Amino acid sequence: MKAISMTITGLLILLSMGSQGIIAQSLRPSVPVEHYRWKSVQIVGGGFVDGIVFHPKEKDVRYCRTDMGGAYRWDKETQQWVSMLDWITYDDNNLVGVESIAVDPNDPQTVYLSCGTYTRSTNGAVLCSNDGGRTFTRTDMPFTMGGNENGRGNGERMMVDPLNSDIIYLGTRLDGLWRSADRGRSWQQVCSFPNVAEVIPEGGNPWMQDRGCGINLVLFDPSGGTAGKGCSTLYIGVSLKDRDNFFVSHDYGESWQPLAGQPVQYRPTQAVLSEDGYLYITYGSNPGPMRMNNGAVWKYDPRSEKWQDISPVKADPDKGAAFGYAAVSVDRQNPKHLIVSTFNRPVAGSYAEDDIYRTTDGGKTWKPVFAGGARFDYGKAPYVEFTPLHWMFDIEIDPFDPDHALFTTGYGGWETFNLGNMDKKEPTQWQVMSTGIEETVPLELYSPKQGAQLISAIGDYGGFTHLDLDRPVPSGSHADPYYSNTTGITGAEDQPDLVVRVGTVSHHHPEGKPLAYSMDGGKSWLEPVSLPQEKAQNGHVAVSSDGRTWIWTPDRMPVYYTNDRGGTWSTAEGIPENLRVIADRVNPKRFYALDLSAAVLYESMDGGVSFRSHPLPFAPFDSKARNARGDRRGGQDRVYATPGKEGDLWIAAFDGLYHGLSGEAFVPQDKVRRIYAFGFGKAAPGSDYPSLYLAGIVNGVSGFFRSDDAARSWVRINDDDHQYGLVLQISGDPKRYGRVYVGSYGRGIVYADPY
C-alpha cells in the first residue's frame, strides 16, 4: 500500500492562497443560500437556569438567563420560553453566558443583558433590546464577565433605576461598580465605590472555590429620590466574607457606607427590598454552586438600622448541619409573605437536595414546601425524574399572582400555581417550567439508517433516543445504566439496531458500567460482562459495519477491542493510547485513527488487532501552543469514513478539509477555510455519494453548509438569526435528504429541513 501523501498541486494551491487568499475570499463571499426552517430537538431544560426576572408592572413579561446557553423571554401566547440569542456567532460565543438581566420598570419592552461566560476569556458586552428581546444593540465593555463561574446564581448584579430609566448600575466580578446615564450606550466606573477586591489565600484557587464573585447585588430603593433624577438610595452587595459586604448610598451614588452591624461571617447571595421597607438577604459561606458549609437569612430595617437573623433552620457546621441559603423572594402584594431556598441541605425521605421555606409573617415562622408535602409532574421533561432537585439559586413569586412561584435548578426549573395550598394544609403541585429552554451540551450525535431519528450523547444528563424530535423522550434519558456524561455513541452501519455508548457512571447509580449497548435501536440497554480495565470510562467507541467488533478508547488508556460484546477485551497493537478510532462504513475489518499532533494516520485491516501508521503531509500540530497564542481557527482534528464507500476518508483539520482514499493522496478542499464540525447525510436524489454537512467558513462566509457533490460546491443552510454560538456537532440524517442536526455548547440540539 502506498504511503499517504498530499499531491504537489494540492500543496501548492494551499500554500499559494495563504492569508491574502483568505482575505480576498472574505471580500467577495460567494455561497448560494438554501432556506431551512430551524427547530429545537425537544429535551426541555438540561442546564442551569440561574436567574428569572419579572417585570414589576407588566403582567406576563419575564425573562430568564442561563450560565452558558443564552437568555430567554416568556411568550404568553405559546406558553413557552423563546431563545433571544441564537444570532450569536461562533467567534462571539463567549456572550452566550449571561451574567445578569435588567428590565426597565417604566418600559416593558426594554431589557438589558450583561453577557460574558468566563472572566479568563474576551471582554463582555451589554445587549439592549427595545422590542421585548427580539432584536438587540450591543455595547462592548472594557472588562470580562463570568456567567458560567462560581456565584452565577447570585444577583441580579445589573438594575435600571425605577425613577430614571436613563440610569443603570452594573456590578462586576473583578472591576468594581459601573454606571450608565444614557440607557446603556456608554458606561463609567463609579470611582467613589470602595475597593472590594478580594485577596486570595495563599495556595487558593483564584477562579472558583476560594473566591467570591465580586459585586453581585444591585438594589434601588424607590421610596426616596425624585422622578426624572433617580433613586437617592441604592444598595450594593459584594461576595465578600469576614469584612463589610453590603453598602448603601443615600446621595444618588456619590458616596457609599457599609451597613452598620451587618453579618460578615458569610457572603450575600441574594437580596430583596419589600414594599414595607425591609431588606431581606440570604447568605452562604460560598457564592455557590460550589458547596457551602454555613449561611443564614437576615432581615434589616433601614429606619432603625437593626438586624435580625430569621433563618428558618440554623446552620451549624460543627454539628453536621453544614449548609447555606441561596435565594429569597417577597410577594409584592403582601410584604410579609416570603420564600427562601436552602443550599446543601437534603430533605429527609426525599429526592430533593434542598428545600424552600415559606413565611407569611415576615420571617417569624416558617414552613417547608417540599418536606411539608409537594407533588411533582414530570410530564413536560420525563428525564428530570432521575435528577434530584438542586441548585435553587433563584426563586420567584409572580408579582401579579402570589400563588404562582418558580424556582430554578441545574436542569431548568419548576413552577406551582397553588403555593397558597400551604395555608390550607394541602400539598403544592409543581410542574416543569422550562418548555422552550434547551441548554444541553451534545457531546456526540448519531442518526442511524433506520429506527430513531436521532440518538444523542449529552453532557450531565446521559443521552436520549429521539423517536419524535418535537416531543421530549417519554421514557426519559438513557437509564440503566444512567450516565452523568455520555461521551461517545455510535452504531453498526449494516445492523442499525445495534447501538453502543460510553460515558461516566453517575454517582447516583454507581453500580452501572461505563459501556452499554442496545439491540433494539436505543430503546433498552444491556451491559457487557467485563471491562478492559476496572477504571475504564468515557472516551469514544467504534463499531464495525457488521456489529461484531467494538473498539473502545477510554480516557487516557490504550485502545481496546472486543469481538464478543465485552465478554473479553484485548489491547490493539501498533497504535498509541488515547486515540479515537472510527470504523470503515463498509468493510468490517477496517478501522482508522488520526493523530494530528504527530501528523500520522493509523489503519487496521484486521478488525483492530493491529494498526499500521501512514505519515501525513501536515506539520505536526501542537494544540497547547495554538491555545496559548489564542489561535481560534477551529477544527475537530478528526478523520471521518464516508458511508457506503470503503476506504473513502475525510480529515477535518485545523486549517480546512481534506479528502482522499486510504493509501492515496489527501487533497485540500480549497473553498473550506475553517471547520467547527463535520458530518454526513442522505445523498441527494440521483446521487450515490452522501451529502456533506459542515459548520465553519466556506468561501469567506461563516455558517452551516451542505455539499451534494463531494465538496466541489456548497450551499449555506442557515442564516444570521440561527448561528447558536459555539457549535460542537453537525450531522445529516441518512433517512431523509436535507435534514441536518446541530449541537452547540449550551443551546442543546437544533434540527432543520429545507423548505
Side-chain angles (χ1 to χ4, degrees):
M1 182 174 294
K2 294 183 291 184
I4 298 177
S5 61
M6 182 183 295
T7 61
I8 294 177
T9 302
L11 182 59
L12 290 175
I13 291 174
L14 179 65
L15 294 175
S16 66
M17 293 191 66
S19 60
Q20 293 183 351
I22 295 173
I23 294 172
Q25 286 194 44
S26 67
L27 295 176
R28 53 176 191 277
S30 176
V31 180
V33 175
E34 187 169 331
H35 296 292
Y36 269 61
R37 183 174 289 109
W38 292 88
K39 301 170 67 176
S40 289
V41 174
Q42 292 296 302
I43 293 174
V44 180
F48 188 15
V49 176
D50 47 7
I52 301 172
V53 176
F54 280 86
H55 195 277
K57 298 179 182 179
E58 187 74 17
K59 186 178 181 181
D60 292 323
V61 174
R62 59 184 181 267
Y63 303 90
C64 73
R65 57 184 169 92
T66 72
D67 52 5
M68 53 183 284
Y72 293 78
R73 61 178 174 85
W74 177 251
D75 188 318
K76 66 180 180 180
E77 302 300 328
T78 61
Q79 291 291 291
Q80 66 179 23
W81 298 93
V82 177
S83 176
M84 297 188 291
L85 300 183
D86 288 349
W87 50 270
I88 288 182
T89 66
Y90 185 99
D91 286 340
D92 275 335
N93 68 77
N94 188 52
L95 300 184
V96 300
V98 181
E99 186 88 283
S100 191
I101 295 179
V103 296
D104 183 346
N106 304 303
D107 181 1
Q109 290 297 303
T110 296
V111 60
Y112 299 88
L113 312 179
S114 61
C115 299
T117 310
Y118 298 108
T119 55
R120 288 169 286 181
S121 187
T122 56
N123 285 347
V126 171
L127 307 178
C128 174
S129 174
N130 298 121
D131 56 8
R134 291 164 178 82
T135 62
F136 289 86
T137 57
R138 169 177 171 173
T139 300
D140 290 323
M141 305 300 282
F143 48 78
T144 60
M145 302 183 195
N148 195 32
E149 294 184 7
N150 208 26
R152 54 195 182 270
N154 295 178
E156 293 294 323
R157 64 184 73 220
M158 180 171 60
M159 188 165 284
V160 179
D161 191 324
L163 297 182
N164 183 348
S165 296
D166 290 344
I167 297 173
I168 313 170
Y169 277 82
L170 171 62
T172 72
R173 291 173 176 265
L174 304 175
D175 296 273
L177 182 65
W178 291 71
R179 180 181 187 268
S180 174
D182 56 7
R183 298 177 182 252
R185 289 186 288 272
S186 64
W187 295 81
Q188 297 77 40
Q189 188 168 10
V190 180
C191 297
S192 62
F193 192 77
N195 179 7
V196 291
E198 185 170 13
V199 178
I200 307 301
E202 186 175 352
N205 181 340
W207 297 110
M208 294 295 284
Q209 58 263 39
D210 297 327
R211 192 185 72 184
C213 57
I215 297 173
N216 61 350
L217 293 166
V218 177
L219 283 174
F220 288 94
D221 183 354
S223 64
T226 307
K229 183 177 182 181
C231 295
S232 59
T233 298
L234 61 155
Y235 297 94
I236 301 294
V238 187
S239 184
L240 292 172
K241 189 169 65 170
D242 300 324
R243 56 183 281 200
D244 291 329
N245 55 39
F246 229 95
F247 299 85
V248 64
S249 174
H250 295 295
D251 55 7
Y252 300 94
E254 293 298 318
S255 64
W256 302 85
Q257 302 80 38
L259 295 181
Q262 63 181 282
V264 296
Q265 62 268 41
Y266 18 58
R267 307 171 188 270
T269 52
Q270 281 201 9
V272 291
L273 191 65
S274 65
E275 295 294 321
D276 56 357
Y278 289 98
L279 188 63
Y280 294 92
I281 309 172
T282 50
Y283 289 92
S285 57
N286 189 285
M290 293 292 180
R291 292 191 65 84
M292 298 178 185
N293 58 26
N294 204 351
V297 183
W298 285 76
K299 180 178 182 178
Y300 175 71
D301 185 350
R303 293 150 294 204
S304 65
E305 298 187 344
K306 299 295 184 182
W307 290 85
Q308 182 183 3
D309 185 345
I310 60 168
S311 305
V313 287
K314 303 287 187 180
D316 190 343
D318 294 334
K319 295 183 178 180
F323 64 91
Y325 284 88
V328 57
S329 181
V330 63
D331 182 357
R332 289 185 177 272
Q333 300 182 30
N334 180 356
K336 296 187 181 300
H337 173 203
L338 295 95
I339 51 177
V340 298
S341 59
T342 63
F343 185 62
N344 296 148
R345 188 177 186 274
V347 179
S350 168
Y351 205 36
E353 293 183 354
D354 283 294
D355 208 338
I356 295 174
Y357 285 85
R358 178 175 181 263
T359 180
T360 55
D361 54 17
K364 296 178 182 178
T365 61
W366 298 85
K367 294 180 180 179
V369 176
F370 302 154
R375 297 174 182 172
F376 296 89
D377 179 359
Y378 306 102
K380 292 184 178 180
Y383 75 95
V384 303
E385 185 174 0
F386 302 99
T387 304
L389 299 174
H390 68 296
W391 288 14
M392 292 184 287
F393 272 88
D394 197 13
I395 55 176
E396 297 290 340
I397 299 174
D398 189 328
F400 298 93
D401 181 2
D403 276 339
H404 183 208
L406 304 90
F407 67 85
T408 66
T409 73
Y411 51 81
W414 292 83
E415 64 184 339
T416 183
F417 292 91
N418 52 29
L419 187 61
N421 276 11
M422 296 183 68
D423 299 328
K424 299 179 286 185
K425 297 182 178 180
E426 296 178 1
T428 52
Q429 312 283 336
W430 296 84
Q431 64 184 34
V432 172
M433 70 87 178
S434 317
T435 300
I437 298 172
E438 297 291 342
E439 204 200 344
T440 55
V441 178
L443 301 180
E444 192 151 29
L445 302 176
Y446 171 58
S447 183
K449 292 169 66 174
Q450 67 183 43
Q453 301 298 306
L454 180 70
I455 305 178
S456 57
I458 301 293
D460 290 341
Y461 299 105
F464 303 85
T465 299
H466 307 272
L467 300 176
D468 184 340
L469 301 174
D470 299 323
R471 296 178 183 272
V473 177
S475 58
S477 62
H478 292 156
D480 194 24
Y482 177 78
Y483 296 163
S484 55
N485 286 291
T486 300
T487 57
I489 193 161
T490 191
E493 189 78 7
D494 298 329
Q495 301 291 331
D497 283 342
L498 174 61
V499 185
V500 184
R501 61 184 171 103
V502 293
T504 309
V505 174
S506 170
H507 68 276
H508 295 293
H509 305 274
E511 68 283 354
K513 288 187 173 69
L515 182 146
Y517 64 98
S518 174
M519 303 298 294
D520 56 11
K523 297 175 184 176
S524 63
W525 297 90
L526 303 168
E527 291 186 293
V529 173
S530 66
L531 300 175
Q533 287 192 39
E534 181 181 354
K535 295 183 179 180
Q537 63 175 352
N538 296 329
H540 296 281
V541 64
V543 177
S544 62
S545 58
D546 63 3
R548 295 180 180 179
T549 302
W550 308 347
I551 299 183
W552 180 22
T553 310
D555 275 357
R556 296 180 294 278
M557 287 189 179
V559 176
Y560 297 98
Y561 67 91
T562 179
N563 295 313
D564 53 10
R565 299 178 186 171
T568 58
W569 295 87
S570 301
T571 304
E573 297 179 356
I575 184 172
E577 67 177 23
N578 212 40
L579 275 192
R580 177 178 188 152
V581 175
I582 66 164
D584 190 89
R585 308 293 283 269
V586 177
N587 186 338
K589 294 293 185 181
R590 293 183 81 167
F591 292 86
Y592 313 96
L594 176 68
D595 183 355
L596 205 58
S597 64
V600 172
L601 180 74
Y602 292 88
E603 180 178 19
S604 174
M605 298 292 291
D606 55 11
V609 175
S610 62
F611 284 79
R612 51 185 171 179
S613 61
H614 306 290
L616 292 171
F618 307 123
F621 174 65
D622 187 341
S623 59
K624 291 183 179 180
R626 190 189 77 175
N627 293 337
R629 66 176 180 262
D631 192 333
R632 297 168 56 85
R633 287 179 292 178
Q636 289 191 317
D637 307 323
R638 283 182 53 189
V639 60
Y640 293 81
T642 307
K645 305 291 181 181
E646 181 178 352
D648 192 285
L649 302 177
W650 295 82
I651 294 177
F654 58 91
D655 64 349
L657 183 64
Y658 299 81
H659 180 225
L661 299 177
S662 180
E664 298 183 9
F666 272 76
V667 178
Q669 307 303 299
D670 62 349
K671 296 180 176 62
V672 179
R673 277 292 166 267
R674 188 187 293 184
I675 301 176
Y676 313 135
F678 182 78
F680 303 97
K682 187 175 182 178
S687 173
D688 66 348
Y689 201 90
S691 294
L692 308 180
Y693 291 87
L694 182 149
I697 295 178
V698 175
N699 272 7
V701 178
S702 179
F704 310 153
F705 303 89
R706 190 191 75 236
S707 174
D708 296 332
D709 54 10
R712 288 187 290 276
S713 65
W714 297 87
V715 295
R716 188 186 182 195
I717 59 176
N718 72 321
D719 53 56
D720 289 348
D721 291 333
H722 300 90
Q723 303 195 74
Y724 305 109
L726 180 58
V727 172
L728 302 177
Q729 312 289 338
I730 193 168
S731 174
D733 190 319
K735 303 174 290 298
R736 179 167 178 167
Y737 167 69
R739 173 165 289 179
V740 63
Y741 304 100
V742 174
S744 69
Y745 184 73
R747 179 55 180 85
I749 309 168
V750 294
Y751 79 99
D753 294 303
Y755 68 94

